[in-house]
Amino acid sequence: MKKTIIPFAILTAALTMSSCSDFLTKTPETSLSPDTYFSTGAELDLWANKLYNDLIPAATDLAELNADDNCSGSTLTAVQRGTRNPTSKSWSADTWKPLRNINYMLENNKCKDASVKDRYDGVCYFFRALFYYEKVRLYGDIPWYDHVIGSSDKEDLNKARDPRGYVMLMVLRDLDKAYELLPAKWPSDPVYHVSKDAALALKSRVALFEGTFRKYHEGSEYVPQDQQTFTLDDGTSFTVSSTWFLEQAADAAGKIVGTRSLYTDNTMKLAPKATNASYREYFILENAESNETIFSRRYNVDLLVRHGIQFDYKNHKRSASARFVNHYLQKDGSPIQKRAGWETMSYYDAFQNRDPRMAQTLHGPGFVMADTDNSGAHITEALSWERTFNGYRIIKYISTTEHETATTSTTDYPVIRYAEVLLNYAEAKAELGTLTAEDLAKTVNVIRARVGVPGLDAVPADTDELMEQYYPHAKGSQKAAILEVRRERTVELFCEGFRQWDMFRWGEGNLLTPKATKGFQGIYISAAEVGTDIDLDKNGTPDLYLYNDNKGTTSVPSSNQIQLGSTYTLSEGDHGYLTCWAAEEYTWTEGRDYLWPIPADQRTATGYALSQNPGWDDGLEQ
Amino acid sequence: MRKTLLLTLALLLSFGAFAQNITLSLHNVTVQEAVTQLQSQGNYTIVINSGEVDLKKRVSVSAKNATLNDVLTQIFAGQNLDFTINGNSVSVSKRIPSSASPQTAKNSFKGVVIDQNGDPLIGASLIEKASGKYAITDNNGSFSFEALTYPATILVSYLGFEDKEVTVNGRESQPFRITLSSDTNLLEEIVVVGYGTQKRVNLTGAVSVIDGKELNARPVTNTAMAIQGADPSLVLTTSSGSIDGSQYSVNVRGKVSLNSGSPLVLVDGVEGSLSQVNPNDIESVSVLKDASACAIYGAKASAGVILITTKSGMDGDAKINYNGRFSISTNTTSTDFITTGYDYVNLTNAFYQTAKGSPAWTYSDEQIQMLMDRRYDVTENPERPWVIPDETGTYTYVYLGNFDWYSYLFNKERPETEHNITLRGGTSKAKYYASARYLHRNGLFAGNAQDTYDGVSLRGKVDAKLRPWLTYSSNISLERSDYEWGGFWEMDGSTGYTSQGIMWNITQNVGPNYVPYNPDGTIAMVPGFMTGATSPLMSGRGGVFMDGRNHNMNLSNYWTWTNRFTINISDGLKFIADYTYRRHDIRRNFRSLPSANSYDNVNKRMYEGNGLTGGLFSNGSVYDFTREYRYMRDASTINAYFAYDKTSGHNHVSATLGGNFDDYYATTLMIQQKGSMSDVLSYINMANGEIEKATQTNTSYRTLGYFGRVNYDWDGKYLLEVSGRADGSSRFPAGHRWAFFPSASAGWRISEESFWSALKPVISSAKLRASYGTLGNQQVDNYYYWEELKTGLLSGYTFDGLNNAAYAYMDAPVSDNLTWETVISKNIGIDLGFFRNRLNLNADFFTRDTKNMLTAGMSLPTVYGEAAPKENAADLRTKGFELSISWKDNVTLGGKPLYYGLTATLGDFVTVITRFNNPDKLLSDNYVGKCLGDIWGYRTDGLFATDEEAAQWEAAYDSFSTVNKGIQSQAAGYQHLRAGDIIYRDLNGDNKINTGANTLDNPGDREVIGNSRPRFNYAFKGDFSWQGLDLSIFFQGVGKMDWMPNYNCSYFWGPYAYQRPTFIPSDFADKCWTEGADNSGAIYPRQRGLVSNKTNLITSDYYLQSAAYLRLKNLTVGYTLPLKTRIIEKARVYFSGENLFYLSPLTKATKYIDPEVATTSISDDITYPYSKTFSLGVDITF
């Protein structure tokens, strides 16, 4: 009996003991699992790639954001119309998914090579900051999660919103970590992965946003209290305020200012009079250059990775506003209102003696495409109302003719570039009231120098009346400088995804819509020109024919024969700015529209843990 | 002279109960010593009835494997004595002078048969073995034989009592009293339960036993088919009559979970499948139905357990059995389709005219006339050829055939043969069993696509007593099948090899007007004449069907080897340990080629495809490739347990305690490569084209369980069983890996109580049972708790400009709160035996609650960042009963005994969802209160009698965007309701016929019109044997089952759903409502094309069919030849018919669809048909 018990005892012991360990764990062999994944650089890289894909905006998202400076000819945004509603902006699981993925990698990253592990942690911190920055822009207060939410974790799922100040503090801390952990340059490429400079640049962008938002909304329902103190889990305590954020912005940007240079090549020779057109050229490079570019999104036609900006611009007749055009200085650095009759200038005149960026941004007289014909001459293209609805056709990002289909726009898109950092720095300093002539020399003047416009020798003391009219809420000890920096920012960063958000943070939402101008205004047309063939660019060929009720005879192409009255009007009736979208209703509700509403279904789903943003009535009582 | 000495030697020894062959070697001992020695060899009782026996005489005995008679003869040599051997009792008496025998032989021999109480047994049968003379007791229990040749051995049998053999020499005092003792076998009957056996009388859980003899008697090749109807708790659904019988699903007491959950099948204690056991090997099948019976198997057993025990060796000389048969299978359903081109074209034209305003065919009036001319040409008349040149120039050929495509494509009669040989025997030290079976079947497909199935089953079992305390057993089996077919390669997904692909492809666009070959010998590939289509015949598979070059195979091998040691530790305590290795290999090989010499009649050209010349047709599925698929499964099982059994006084205790470990690994590999240097070789190395597919899957799991069971009974009256199992499974995350499942059951054999004695003559036995238990369900995906990361390429992102960025992502998050699905089962049962247990009644009633089924959870706040993972969020409850009643007796027929048994069973259950996350109770999903299988549909009031009535209704009710959308989209002139269209009932009175909000509260005008689950499963069985003749008859059926034909069921819908359905029942037109005819028997409404197709199908009670059925499952007639030679011990010939006929209300609508396959999804179209089989066989034992 003893003999027989022994083997059984051994067997039982073997089974029992083994059951204590991983004996019953079976790992999938044909799919990866978090237990085994996240151990090598290659694995981390694949996961990180998805973050880029999900969180880096597509080129068209940035280049095509309607605002006061540019607009689509086919649709207005709900923001412009004032027709947002409590479900109009997505708070879907898909929009929260990237955060889950980021936190998932941070929780599971177990790469033994510390330098590799750090690098990808840095990527995660960068993207978590970007994620929350964009969420705060939309919603203000937002629940902050630095870990993966469990499906049964009611506390997390029904978490109340954290104050925006707290979230932005955490965002800046994430960016500090990202700056610390990310490489200065990735071994594989200089611009297509986020780097230390990208973290700094984003930090300056985020901090400037929050600093100015707090400054210009202080005391309103959006920022009832500017100065707030938060004690973190580790016991450290931070007091944030608009000043603190602006200092953070200046500090982050200041680390980059002076370390890079702007793109100045002129290989394409796109300017009509052999002047330097490196500004325009920079935005149609097939492969981003790496001095000005801090981070870029890559496109490639062979891989079917393309953005279609050129196609969309054409399809939507994307055009700039007269308001925007008036931001352009004259070539000598003086404002346009110094020119006599500046308000009734013709299309042709408007382009004369202006900041060269104007003709590199808008279709001006003598515009050429980037491609050349057999003789080596650039392809010319007449201004066509198939590509603009008000005469100020946008040609930033417009490259060769063959890029103009839905599937062929493949120029790289700079998501973060040095010029923005320079402007962030100058703006933060100006808002703080600490801007110096040296600061201007390092920033605004560098930008102007590229296009040959004289810089500012001293911090401006006198406010520009037009800028003051355009930005009535600007304030501060260096108000004149603030306005000049805003002008510079407006023209330099046109159609790069900033304008709407800039107007929001500056508290100028009311001017975001074309409400005041009763429609979106373009080129100026005199009364005499109506009913005649107009040679806009003065090249001898008529370009435009405007008529009221009866179309007379005209030699312009049918696409450029425009009937006035419904879609198109002139701002003064028989003359004035060629105006579109005049019949639209525009509303701007100051105490409501700077933030998006929290979707009502999510407020009920969380048991009203989520409070509603000011001014929004979603029909729920709580 | 001493008085008669009565010497009685009565040594009762209970040692080695099986020693029948005596080996004894004695030298010079007294007779008395020799007798004592002999008695010590076995439990013989030797009674010496004579004082004349010299017990002191010295004798020598030398016997080796000798019979008792031989040994006795040696012991009593030289003495004038007779030995009467009756079982283990021997009586020795003085030999009567031989002259006396003839006289007494002439006299009758009278006697009486009584039971232990002395009461006469009426109707007991007696057979004199040598002569076959026969007698039956009368009302007094008396019998008489006219004349016997002495010594005569008489076999006495009476139902409920043990058989008894007595040898008489005619000198016994008459009437000779024969006492029978009641059949303890019935009480002692052993039932296989989890990790052990139990006496049937002591069972407290719900367990059914199917005797292997019942299965062996029928010529079914597949165990799954064999057990259908054998127990009312077993619900077997067949989705087609696939050649290997693999297209079935079986459940015990219904669906245990909305997720998967199928019964655990154990073959000799090792996981297996029903289709992998040769039914001839089966000794018995136990079906464990409630949690109490299943608990010892833990988490794999939540859906019930089917225990199959195979035959083992036995003591005694080898028995060799050969069982062979030849069978022919035919369809159970009609194959009488329209085969006249004229009628086919006319009918489909008429239907399509209503749908699209044009005929389905582009034949000219003149060509239609030519079709009509040929209408009665069953074979082609040379004067009126079926393919003629097209003189209009549209095509090259005009097809005007009356071609019977069904007979061309399929074998209506399918032969099969089976040979089965078993060897069985052994000694007290070693027993063996070996069997081999070969099965050959010809399949459905005819001609070059012919499919064949060859199955080989081998099993070898040895039990060797290595030491008095140690037994080793080995059990090896191989189940091999080889299915090969020509023609199109496609199989039906992964479920089997029913060639569903080709079955589906021939359902449309192949009319009898077409013929397979053009006069020039080319295949009529794109024959033309189809309105709005230029389809190739059978989507291009037609040519492949005829092309002899394609070759496909599916080869499968199941290996199982169990090694077991049984250690007798002490009296009543055993330790059993076994190790089993299981392996399953599959090899599939497809060689696909374009079809040869195919002609495109539409474009008037030979095909030139795939870079080849010579008119080869290829398309997306038909082209030149070789595919090889390999599957390999490796599994190991270890069991180790103690078994204890002890009786002390009134107390009887048995217990089992042990552990079980399972390890499982499976992998697949598939490669498909284009092109080949050889048409003949299906070999990847011969392929020279692009590798199209190369895929691999691996999967594995492990389980570890500790189980225990204690049975206690007091005096056989009060029975109690407690069992439980702790299970760990790799399918669950570490924190949730282990779970314990307890159960208990109790029984009361009320008939053993003293107060019952008055009832005993009527109710001989009565037992009440009750059980309660909990089981977990581990039948989830092997890795379901893993958050699986997958990889892919980002279509919109690149970093290096050379490649799309690769990425990794989480497939789907898993709930962090997963628990086991739990099954709680309650069972009460009663077992009654009446009239000496000739009538038996068993009834079980059960409730089974399945808790925490993994289904879609409540939606989570979106900050979660993913779709809500599945949660343990649903419950369901099944309630049901099983009833079985049987009667066994014998009567006299023509002076000979007729043994017969009759059995009837009935079972039913209903499953209702008691928790489900569907707060709005949307009917598109499960909802609380839903009865599984419920069919929601519209109610109807028959057909409109007149156009006026129809027009009025059309004006009064809004129905055109819903139920009558099919009519609205008809061709101009047919877009309004007419006489013969269906009248839908406006249930909610809103003058709109619609689905409302599609919720339970607002279902519009729909209600539950039926239920698709089989209800009231029943069976009747009868067995009769008389004078070597035996007859068994077995009916099986379903009492209630509703079926709404799916849109693609072309046998049912014909041209109502398809423009040109291939096979239209010949009586189809008669069943359609016809203008001006007597339409009282119309099954279908007004003829309208495409009103029942995919987009227009409306579920209503008008079309709902009852698929209830009664089927004569089996009828077997056998005759055991009255021959007994030195070689042949027994020989029986038999005829057997399987699935001979069925009765069903469905036949009113269609005789083309078998009700048993109708409700399963695969039957939506033409499937591998369900077969009826006629067999002729012999069964010979040597």
Side-chain angles (χ1 to χ4, degrees), chain B residues 85-87 127 129 152-156 162-167 178 180:
Chain B
I85 302 167
N86 185 1
I127 293 178
K129 287 181 84 177
T153 305
I154 301 172
L155 175 71
V156 191
E162 276 182 24
D163 286 357
K164 190 164 188 176
E165 226 173 69
V166 291
T167 305
I178 300 172
L180 295 186

Side-chain angles (χ1 to χ4, degrees), chain B residues 703-726:
Chain B
T703 59
L704 180 62
Y706 300 101
F707 53 83
R709 176 176 59 212
V710 178
N711 293 78
Y712 171 79
D713 71 81
W714 190 84
D715 207 15
K717 279 186 207 170
Y718 310 111
L719 316 165
L720 182 69
E721 177 178 300
V722 177
S723 58
R725 175 156 169 152

Side-chain angles (χ1 to χ4, degrees), chain A residues 442-496:
Chain A
K442 287 190 290 186
T443 57
V444 173
N445 294 359
V446 171
I447 291 169
R448 288 191 184 176
R450 166 160 65 180
V451 290
V453 173
L456 295 161
D457 295 336
V459 177
D462 302 327
T463 54
D464 179 291
E465 63 275 19
L466 187 63
M467 288 299 109
E468 196 170 25
Q469 181 195 325
Y470 283 175
Y471 304 100
H473 294 88
K475 62 184 180 188
S477 60
Q478 293 183 325
K479 182 176 168 184
I482 290 171
L483 291 173
E484 281 313 313
V485 173
R486 285 187 187 183
R487 178 207 302 278
E488 200 60 36
R489 184 178 178 90
T490 303
V491 298
E492 176 70 17
L493 303 181
F494 180 66
C495 279
E496 293 183 42

Side-chain angles (χ1 to χ4, degrees), chain A residues 1 4 8 11 23-26 29 31-32 34 46 49-50 91 97 100 104 150-152 297-298 300 602, chain B residues 567 569 575 640 642 665 698 702 730 737 786-789 796 799 801 806-808 816 862 864-866:
Chain A
M1 173 136 171
T4 55
F8 183 72
L11 187 72
F23 180 66
L24 283 179
T25 299
K26 280 287 188 180
E29 292 177 27
S31 65
L32 308 161
L46 290 194
N49 287 352
K50 179 89 168 105
W91 181 286
K97 192 169 178 167
R100 185 183 182 85
Y104 204 84
S151 65
S152 63
R297 183 162 182 164
R298 190 165 204 166
N300 184 294
Q602 289 306 306
Chain B
I567 301 166
I569 297 168
F575 173 65
F642 288 96
Y665 180 86
N698 298 341
R702 265 182 189 168
S730 66
R737 184 159 287 160
W786 288 91
E787 297 195 318
E788 290 186 48
L789 306 189
F799 290 95
Y807 73 113
D816 51 4
T862 51
Y864 179 66
E866 278 278 7

